[in-house]
Amino acid sequence: MNDATSKPALPDRLSGNPRSPHHVEEIFEHDIGIRINDKERFDVEEYCISEGWVKVPSKKALDRRGQPLMMTVKGKVEAFYR
C-alpha cells in the first residue's frame, strides 16, 4: 500500500527518449503500462493522453542518425503503473 503512494503521478505526455523534453527519469524507476484502444502495447516510445496518440518504432526503417523511425498510432490512450 505504501508503494502506491510513493509513485509520482503519470503525466499527460511522456517520452522514453532521454533527449526529449518530455522525459521524466523518476517515472521510469517504476514499471509503466500503456493501453491504446483497450490493447496493451509493450513497444511504446512516447505517448500523449489528451491528444490520443502513441509513438512506436517502425520495424526496419531508420533515420539518418540510425534511430528507428517513429509511427504514430491514434486512439484512446491509458497509462498505468503495473
Side-chain angles (χ1 to χ4, degrees):
M1 300 272 175
N2 253 352
D3 190 35
T5 60
S6 66
K7 294 179 183 177
L10 290 171
D12 177 56
R13 185 170 179 178
L14 182 66
S15 175
N17 186 348
R19 297 179 302 187
S20 171
H22 302 289
H23 182 77
V24 180
E25 189 64 38
E26 299 85 42
I27 291 177
F28 289 103
E29 294 173 358
H30 309 284
D31 197 20
I32 300 170
I34 304 293
R35 274 191 215 104
I36 178 97
N37 296 330
D38 297 325
K39 181 182 175 197
E40 190 167 359
R41 299 282 306 242
F42 299 98
D43 59 346
V44 173
E45 181 71 24
E46 185 174 354
Y47 73 82
C48 183
I49 296 172
S50 63
E51 295 178 12
W53 55 261
V54 297
K55 292 196 178 202
V56 295
S58 66
K59 301 292 182 199
K60 296 182 180 180
L62 301 175
D63 66 5
R64 63 180 177 224
R65 294 182 184 98
Q67 302 295 318
L69 288 177
M70 294 293 147
M71 298 185 314
T72 302
V73 179
K74 295 185 177 190
K76 180 183 164 198
V77 178
E78 299 174 55
F80 58 94
Y81 286 112
R82 292 188 204 172

